[in-house]
Amino acid sequence: MEIQVIQVPYDSGRRDVRMGKGPRHLVEHGLKQTDVRTFHVDSIEVDDPYPLEVGTTFKVLRELSEKVRNAVQRSRFPLVVAGGCISSVGTSAGLNADAIVWLDAHGDFNTPETTISGFLDGMALATCTGRCWKELAASVPNFEAVDEGNVLLLGARDFDPAEQRALAESTITLLGPQGVHEQGVSAALEPMLAKLQNRRVYVHVDLDVLDAEQARVNQFPPTPGLSLQEVLETVRLLRERLTVVGAAVTAYDPSYDQDGRALQAGTAIIGQLCGIGERVLASK
């Protein structure tokens, strides 16, 4: 299958700043330097002379949903490379996904009422599951809230207090890094792999799910996290066992990647998400 890479170079409603610089860097200096030639690259850009974190972001999400849906209709695998996790709202809508596997150091399950920082990305998973921004989310073409019971949050270890309470009260399955380390990837994932077998799964990878000792991807690096091998093994199992209809890699800020290890890790994860992992790893 051909791969449609969709770059979303936005962070908090602003283009090409901070993590918004990550998508182009990952594609130009990572994926395009491999021997993989089965992908097409597109990018999101909205005309907004006075960018707003919320308003501009939802303009981006509306366009992103349409581009993802178009890729699906052309029988291409949509791979979104985005600055922020809030891109997930547009991606999951365009995919018509009814299940999510979310790899992240953070819960992203805040709402405007629970957040301490006010950071929109910290409300991404909550928005996908219909907990907040309901009217704006409904303006995204094809958006449908994903049932919390069909969500696996993997690798998270940094939560705001009210966010942690909301997760505990939800039906989301939360599996932290320690559980993966102790059980092994396959055993830890098995219950959700069985549960999601008949679902259309969106796989979301915030690169800060990786342990910062292995790869420093942005300014939000809680440790300890998952190893690169654990993430790659997770993605391999998801693709083998589930119907993965699309994926995203987010939150890479090249300015924090002083040794290039985050770029290498992100490129390897992209390759695994697209089912071309061995070709990507072999060419790096």
Side-chain angles (χ1 to χ4, degrees):
M1 177 183 287
E2 293 186 328
I3 299 150
Q4 182 67 60
V5 178
I6 304 171
Q7 298 175 121
V8 188
Y10 284 84
D11 182 343
S12 303
R14 286 164 171 77
R15 183 180 171 88
D16 292 325
V17 299
R18 205 171 63 161
M19 293 182 295
K21 295 179 179 179
R24 182 174 292 109
H25 195 83
L26 269 171
V27 173
E28 296 294 329
H29 299 281
L31 191 55
K32 285 189 175 179
Q33 301 305 310
T34 72
D35 65 352
V36 178
R37 295 293 177 265
T38 58
F39 61 87
H40 308 267
V41 179
D42 198 356
S43 186
I44 299 287
E45 183 172 5
V46 298
D47 184 15
D48 205 339
Y50 302 104
L52 303 169
E53 181 175 9
V54 178
T56 303
T57 294
F58 274 89
K59 287 183 180 179
V60 170
L61 298 182
R62 294 179 195 114
E63 183 173 337
L64 176 57
S65 174
E66 297 284 18
K67 285 186 179 291
V68 169
R69 186 174 178 82
N70 180 260
V72 172
Q73 290 172 340
R74 300 178 71 180
S75 298
R76 292 177 177 174
F77 181 82
L79 186 284
V80 173
V81 187
C85 289
I86 195 66
S87 60
S88 57
V89 177
T91 306
S92 62
L95 292 171
N96 191 30
D98 60 2
I100 299 174
V101 178
W102 190 284
L103 288 79
D104 201 320
H106 308 89
D108 288 358
F109 205 61
N110 269 310
T111 70
E113 288 73 29
T114 67
T115 182
I116 294 173
S117 66
F119 189 32
L120 187 59
D121 271 9
M123 308 178 210
L125 184 55
T127 306
C128 285
T129 56
R131 287 213 168 208
C132 63
W133 301 112
K134 294 181 180 180
E135 292 300 317
L136 279 170
S139 74
V140 176
N142 309 302
F143 177 81
E144 294 285 345
V146 176
D147 188 295
E148 292 175 358
N150 293 330
V151 176
L152 169 62
L153 175 56
L154 181 63
R157 64 263 189 195
D158 188 14
F159 311 96
D160 290 339
E163 175 189 34
Q164 192 163 27
R165 289 193 295 271
L167 278 166
E169 294 166 359
S170 76
T171 55
I172 286 175
T173 297
L174 173 60
L175 181 59
Q178 193 61 33
V180 176
H181 300 336
E182 292 174 354
Q183 299 178 58
V185 173
S186 182
L189 292 183
E190 183 56 38
M192 283 302 284
L193 290 174
K195 182 176 183 178
L196 300 181
Q197 276 190 335
N198 298 317
R199 299 291 178 180
R200 292 175 54 84
V201 181
Y202 161 53
V203 178
H204 179 95
V205 182
D206 180 326
L207 288 176
D208 68 17
V209 75
L210 293 166
D211 194 298
E213 294 297 321
Q214 288 202 4
R216 178 70 184 272
V217 303
N218 58 38
Q219 70 186 84
F220 311 109
T223 58
L226 296 180
S227 70
L228 175 58
Q229 289 306 312
E230 286 171 330
V231 173
L232 292 174
E233 176 68 5
T234 295
V235 173
R236 183 186 66 78
L237 284 171
L238 294 175
R239 286 192 58 88
E240 286 181 356
R241 296 279 302 277
L242 303 179
T243 303
V244 176
V245 293
V249 170
T250 71
Y252 171 58
D253 183 344
S255 67
Y256 285 87
D257 186 17
Q258 299 300 311
D259 56 11
R261 288 192 296 171
L263 174 64
Q264 292 180 353
T267 304
I269 291 168
I270 286 173
Q272 196 77 296
L273 285 167
C274 296
I276 50 176
E278 291 183 4
R279 292 169 62 191
V280 170
L281 291 168
S283 60
K284 291 303 288 178

